[in-house]
Amino acid sequence: MKRILSLTILFTLTLFSAAFAQERIPAKGFAVFSGDGQFKPYEFSRHAVGDNDIEIEILYASICHSDLHHVRQDWDKEKFPMVPGHEIAGRVASIGKNVTKFKVGDYAGVGCLVNSCGHCEYCKANLEQYCKEGVYTYHSIDQFHNNEITQGGYSNVITLSENYAIKIPANADMKRVAPLLCAGITTYSPIRYAGVKKGDKVGVAGYGGLGHMAVQYLVKIGADVTVFDITEDKRADAKRMGAVKYVNVNNPEDLKGLDNTLTFIISTIPAKYDPLMYVKMLKIDGQMVIVGLPPTASSPTITTNSLVFQGRKKIYGSQIGGIAETQEMLDYSIDNNIYPEVEIIKADGAAITDAYQKVLDGKVKFRYVIDMSTLK
């Protein structure tokens, strides 16, 4: 009898352990294991689908310049292995019992943020991106799930609360949606905040993944857009997208006559540059918003004394956008056919590694998107 009871208990514990183990979602993707930037296959697991969570089958994940900064440890020391990716578009594979925002089969997106405290002044103001307890999509300590380290979108699946997922309309161009979840909202949010209107003369500094989204939003509003970059390679693209002027900042002739001419400038530049050069281009009460994040070692500086004599001009930073505003941006973008220009690559370690190098060398126009359906 004791033997039967022991076997019964052992069998029950085995079943319980197996059920517990199955709660976590197996995942596979591509990670870097050091700062060398070499991507290799990686298997790991996601937290279980809770009552308020959804599981997303990732269809596309795009490469943001900030991914490079993390991998290269440009901002700080990093923990490895790391699966980057915070521009994610996919299909809902399963939902928790309390989920109302999504149903299985819906398209859903994930940006830079997967959780926050929900009760601080920022969260209450729908500015969750500034929450001090916010959890980022990768390389972040997830205090809401046993302090596990989050992993990003260069993978086949992700789980998160429905409150931090973005609904993607069924008519969206899925190959081009993913970059909107970072590049789109990062530029859309400050343009809306600044109150840019039709006829305003504005500037976009840096014409890459973020910059070409900013141009599209500003042109749609009806602003007169001047694009600033360091090469001639993108002059024709800027004109094609509706910019009225293109300035190669390495050409002194292009820079003549620009001081005190613009009401708004958005800087998306991810490298060292001179911010004061752009501040001088602003009119009285003009605004310059900074969204680009160069490496810490080469971060631009500007003296407080120089600002005093610039004629009441405003300089501030902006970080992505809240969840509600991100949904607004996505709906607006799709309704107005505003998408990033992308190059699709296979879900392959060598292909991702090569794409990183091309982004670093400035040889991409304008966003690489990984087709995760090609993952083997």
Side-chain angles (χ1 to χ4, degrees):
M1 184 67 180
K2 288 182 179 179
R3 177 177 171 78
I4 293 174
L5 183 60
S6 297
L7 288 173
T8 301
I9 293 173
L10 179 61
F11 181 71
T12 302
L13 289 173
T14 301
L15 287 177
F16 177 79
S17 298
F20 180 79
Q22 289 174 357
E23 284 186 354
R24 292 193 64 84
I25 306 297
K28 60 180 180 179
F30 296 94
V32 284
F33 294 81
S34 69
D36 65 3
Q38 299 297 310
F39 281 88
K40 299 176 182 178
Y42 180 55
E43 294 189 5
F44 58 105
S45 65
R46 303 285 192 182
H47 68 74
V49 179
D51 291 346
N52 301 302
D53 295 340
I54 64 172
E55 174 190 356
I56 300 174
E57 172 197 1
I58 298 175
L59 301 176
Y60 298 98
S62 49
I63 297 173
C64 178
H65 206 118
S66 61
D67 296 341
L68 274 73
H69 287 314
H70 277 298
V71 168
R72 290 165 53 84
Q73 303 185 88
D74 285 341
W75 294 329
D76 203 350
K77 292 292 183 181
E78 305 281 354
K79 292 182 175 63
F80 300 99
M82 180 197 301
V83 179
H86 56 218
E87 297 178 337
I88 300 166
R91 183 184 296 109
V92 177
S94 67
I95 62 175
K97 67 179 183 180
N98 296 334
V99 170
T100 58
K101 185 176 174 182
F102 296 92
K103 64 181 185 298
V104 173
D106 285 350
Y107 289 130
V110 183
C112 301
L113 195 69
V114 293
N115 221 324
S116 66
C117 77
H119 54 74
C120 69
E121 61 175 330
Y122 292 118
C123 288
K124 289 180 179 179
N126 292 320
L127 296 169
E128 300 94 341
Q129 71 272 30
Y130 299 115
C131 174
K132 301 303 182 184
E133 298 180 31
V135 180
Y136 293 103
T137 307
Y138 71 91
H139 186 65
S140 187
I141 298 173
D142 188 351
Q143 61 176 314
F144 304 101
H145 296 95
N146 300 315
N147 290 327
E148 67 179 36
I149 303 298
T150 57
Q151 301 290 3
Y154 301 0
S155 55
N156 64 331
V157 66
I158 189 169
T159 56
L160 76 161
S161 164
E162 67 167 335
N163 293 332
Y164 295 84
I166 308 301
K167 289 183 69 68
I168 300 176
N171 65 329
D173 184 347
M174 288 297 289
K175 287 185 174 65
R176 297 194 289 162
V177 165
L180 294 173
L181 278 304
C182 175
I185 186 59
T186 298
T187 52
Y188 177 94
S189 180
I191 289 170
R192 291 299 195 196
Y193 175 78
V196 178
K197 62 185 183 300
K198 183 177 181 179
D200 283 351
K201 297 184 182 302
V202 303
V204 176
Y207 192 51
L210 294 177
H212 90 293
M213 292 305 307
V215 169
Q216 292 183 76
Y217 291 129
L218 290 165
V219 168
K220 181 63 181 177
I221 290 170
D224 291 344
V225 182
T226 296
V227 170
F228 299 87
D229 208 284
I230 60 174
T231 175
E232 287 296 314
D233 295 347
K234 299 176 182 178
R235 187 180 290 272
D237 291 309
K239 183 177 180 180
R240 172 172 56 83
M241 288 188 189
V244 298
K245 187 171 184 176
Y246 182 91
V247 174
N248 182 341
V249 298
N250 288 324
N251 183 355
E253 288 297 315
D254 280 9
L255 290 168
K256 288 182 177 179
L258 288 172
D259 287 358
N260 303 306
T261 62
L262 304 176
T263 60
F264 172 79
I265 298 172
I266 180 169
S267 172
T268 71
I269 301 172
K272 192 174 181 66
Y273 68 102
D274 178 15
L276 191 58
M277 179 183 77
Y278 293 102
V279 174
K280 290 178 179 178
M281 296 179 191
L282 293 173
K283 292 183 176 182
I284 295 173
D285 291 332
Q287 303 178 59
M288 178 175 175
V289 61
I290 297 172
V291 298
L293 285 169
T296 301
S298 57
S299 181
T301 57
I302 187 167
T303 65
T304 54
N305 285 3
S306 65
L307 293 177
V308 171
F309 300 100
Q310 289 308 311
R312 210 172 67 181
K313 300 170 183 179
K314 306 179 184 71
I315 304 175
Y316 55 94
S318 181
Q319 180 186 355
I320 54 173
I323 300 302
E325 189 177 36
T326 302
Q327 185 68 64
E328 174 190 307
M329 172 279 307
L330 190 69
D331 294 339
Y332 176 87
S333 300
I334 292 169
D335 286 346
N336 290 281
N337 197 34
I338 296 175
Y339 287 100
E341 297 197 354
V342 304
E343 181 176 338
I344 307 296
I345 63 174
K346 291 183 178 180
D348 173 81
I352 299 172
T353 300
D354 180 63
Y356 264 52
Q357 188 59 49
K358 288 178 178 176
V359 172
L360 188 64
D361 295 339
K363 295 180 179 179
V364 56
K365 294 192 305 186
F366 288 91
R367 259 300 196 259
Y368 281 116
V369 173
I370 308 166
D371 181 353
M372 295 310 304
S373 70
T374 64
L375 178 64
K376 296 180 180 177

